[in-house]
């Protein structure tokens, strides 16, 4: 790769790039398949915000699949990131089926509260066929 092309790429990906920072999601996730020690690639997921606690009505914000690194870039925009209760739902049964495996959990829902939308929140999912764990990452 030429030096000029590397410099162009560097300008797009370095943290000092204002465009990248403006587009960066304030909420990120990462799935790790702990049974195999690899990223959880191509897992269908959806992001929801609790719209009405009295009826448990959830507003769908985004859907998609994790990338080859087990991440979902652009999960949500900074302007849509409000205080509230959110839910990330991972379709784990489909993921394991594509690998010829079965899973005890057909899906994983992680419900969490955003109290300061100016912060960055990272919600990792550590996954195997018979267990999962999560935490608030940085």
């Amino acid at each position: 790769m030429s030096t000029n092309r590397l410099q162009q790429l560097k300008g797009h990906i370095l943290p000092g790039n204002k465009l990248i920072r403006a587009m960066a999601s304030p909420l990120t996730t990462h799935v790790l398949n702990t049974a195999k020690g690899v990223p959880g690639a191509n897992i269908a997921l959806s992001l929801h915000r609790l719209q009405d606690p009295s009826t448990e009505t959830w507003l769908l914000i985004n859907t998609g699949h994790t990338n080859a690194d087990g991440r979902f870039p652009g999960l949500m925009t900074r302007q849509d990131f409000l205080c509230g209760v959110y839910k990330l739902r991972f379709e784990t049964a489909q993921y394991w089926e594509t690998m010829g495996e079965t899973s005890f959990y057909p899906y994983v829902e992680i419900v969490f509260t955003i109290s300061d939308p100016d912060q960055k929140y990272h919600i990792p999912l550590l996954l195997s066929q018979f267990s999962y764990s999560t935490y608030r990452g940085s």
Side-chain angles (χ1 to χ4, degrees):
M1 190 176 281
S2 75
T3 304
N4 281 345
R5 183 68 182 138
L6 287 173
Q7 289 299 324
Q8 285 178 320
L9 290 172
K10 178 181 166 188
H12 290 291
I13 60 175
L14 283 180
N17 186 301
K18 291 178 185 169
L19 177 61
I20 296 296
R21 280 188 287 151
M23 292 174 42
S25 177
L27 176 65
T28 57
T29 190
H30 182 217
V31 182
L32 180 63
N33 175 337
T34 57
K36 299 192 183 285
V38 298
N42 204 34
I43 297 177
L45 64 89
S46 56
L47 174 65
H48 311 256
R49 183 173 47 243
L50 187 59
Q51 191 169 21
D52 184 352
S54 66
T55 61
E56 290 194 37
T57 304
W58 293 91
L59 173 67
L60 179 64
I61 296 173
N62 202 353
T63 63
H65 290 79
T66 56
N67 63 16
D69 193 33
R71 299 176 188 276
F72 188 131
L75 193 53
M76 77 180 316
T77 64
R78 173 75 52 198
Q79 54 267 35
D80 291 334
F81 197 51
L82 309 171
C83 290
V85 176
Y86 289 79
K87 170 174 66 175
L88 269 170
R89 179 180 167 122
F90 299 86
E91 304 300 332
T92 53
Q94 293 172 0
Y95 169 71
W96 292 111
E97 286 170 8
T98 63
M99 294 187 297
E101 305 276 346
T102 59
S103 173
F104 184 70
Y105 300 101
Y107 59 88
V108 171
E109 288 185 338
I110 303 171
V111 179
F112 53 96
T113 302
I114 299 301
S115 56
D116 182 357
D118 291 329
Q119 291 186 20
K120 183 180 182 317
Y121 293 80
H122 182 63
I123 312 292
L125 175 62
L126 307 177
L127 182 65
S128 78
Q129 296 99 317
F130 302 102
S131 69
Y132 67 88
S133 65
T134 186
Y135 57 94
R136 180 180 174 189
S138 56

